[in-house]
Amino acid sequence: MSGNVPASTRTLRVLTFLATQPGPVPMERIASAVGLPRSSTYHLLRAMMDESFVVHLPEEKRYGLGVAAFEIGSAYLRHDPLERLARPLLGQLVAEIGQTAHLGVLHGRELVYLLKEQPPRPVTLVTDVGVRLPATLTASGRALLAELPPAQVRALFPTTDSFVRRTDTGPESLTQLRRLLAEEKRQGYAYEEGHITPGVSSLAAAALDHAGHPAAAISVTFRTDTLTPADRLHLTHRLRQAATALTRRLHG
């Protein structure tokens, strides 16, 4: 790291590195990750400890995030940044395609809807803000699951009892789910037809955060028999554009 890098930038790099670690780490790893000499890293960590952004565990000789970092993260959540960043994108998408759009996030094995934007004459749907549905049955849920490491997917769905069915459709086992997720990750979007409501389909694409993790999914829901193949192709293209725009807004 160049010696003329501002101290504020060095501080932010330390915070970013610590935030990506599963737990506290030795100072040597921090110094190596941010490209600082050991002595400079020590003084920087001391200053961050004084402001409670870093905590030192003397018995373990390791450093982790302090309570001030937690407070900033909590304030971030109170500002509802994800919904605020996504709402204009959903509104523009609905205005262009005339179909209902949602923003959803994973919560364990479920997909939780955070936003819902509708055209003047929407299709009647079971989905609404705050509604939770099995992630494996929704296009949004599978778009997000497809971006998770295989081990994490396995941990979420360890047995066949982990799978829920509503309309006798959808994956019934981890093997079926993995095969479906691999295909959907390859094509860049997920599609479900009648898994939640017969005669109604959804397309979804995931938006990623700065660490490359799936942050949320944007989906579009429509009556299956109302779209031609050309309509669906156009809708998929616009949906992926919206998800990419949200990824950029999240610094992904």
Side-chain angles (χ1 to χ4, degrees):
M1 179 183 297
S2 174
N4 62 0
V5 174
S8 58
T9 301
R10 299 178 183 183
T11 301
L12 292 173
R13 288 175 177 173
V14 170
L15 287 174
T16 301
F17 172 71
L18 290 176
T20 62
Q21 303 307 299
V25 296
M27 183 176 64
E28 290 77 9
R29 282 192 58 194
I30 300 173
S32 175
V34 301
L36 282 175
R38 179 185 173 90
S39 59
S40 299
T41 304
Y42 173 78
H43 291 299
L44 181 58
L45 290 173
R46 289 299 309 177
M48 297 174 71
M49 288 167 57
D50 290 342
E51 300 297 329
S52 299
F53 281 97
V54 167
V55 62
H56 181 221
L57 306 176
E59 291 81 10
E60 301 180 34
K61 298 181 180 180
R62 291 171 180 258
Y63 294 82
L65 291 175
V67 66
F70 171 77
E71 290 170 349
I72 288 180
S74 299
Y76 175 85
L77 294 176
R78 289 196 300 272
H79 291 183
D80 297 325
L82 184 57
E83 292 94 323
R84 289 172 181 263
L85 292 172
R87 191 182 299 277
L89 299 175
L90 263 66
Q92 182 180 9
L93 184 62
V94 171
E96 291 183 15
I97 65 175
Q99 305 288 349
T100 299
H102 296 88
L103 181 77
V105 296
L106 281 179
H107 190 276
R109 299 175 193 166
E110 296 179 314
L111 190 283
V112 182
Y113 293 98
L114 301 182
L115 289 177
K116 181 178 182 179
E117 294 289 334
Q118 301 183 96
R121 295 182 179 179
V123 175
T124 301
L125 303 171
V126 299
T127 52
D128 208 342
V129 174
V131 168
R132 300 187 179 199
L133 291 172
T136 57
L137 300 184
T138 65
S140 292
R142 292 211 307 270
L144 294 169
L145 290 172
E147 297 295 335
L148 293 179
Q152 191 169 346
V153 174
R154 183 174 64 248
L156 287 171
F157 303 95
T159 68
T160 54
D161 293 335
S162 307
F163 293 84
V164 178
R165 290 163 69 80
R166 287 173 58 98
T167 60
D168 292 327
T169 57
E172 300 180 75
S173 67
L174 182 59
T175 300
Q176 291 181 7
L177 178 62
R178 280 177 166 169
R179 188 180 304 119
L180 189 57
L181 295 181
E183 173 61 19
E184 291 175 333
K185 182 176 177 62
R186 183 194 63 79
Q187 66 190 13
Y189 66 91
Y191 174 68
E192 68 85 8
E193 181 178 331
H195 290 4
I196 300 298
T197 303
V200 175
S201 298
S202 292
L203 288 159
L208 309 180
D209 64 16
H210 70 284
H213 301 146
I218 295 177
S219 64
V220 176
T221 303
F222 51 90
R223 293 199 177 279
T224 308
D225 58 2
T226 60
L227 294 189
T228 66
D231 291 335
R232 180 174 154 185
L233 184 63
H234 173 68
L235 191 153
T236 302
H237 176 67
R238 283 295 296 113
L239 176 68
R240 293 183 65 183
Q241 284 184 326
T244 299
L246 182 56
T247 294
R248 292 197 187 100
R249 291 186 171 207
L250 295 170
H251 304 288

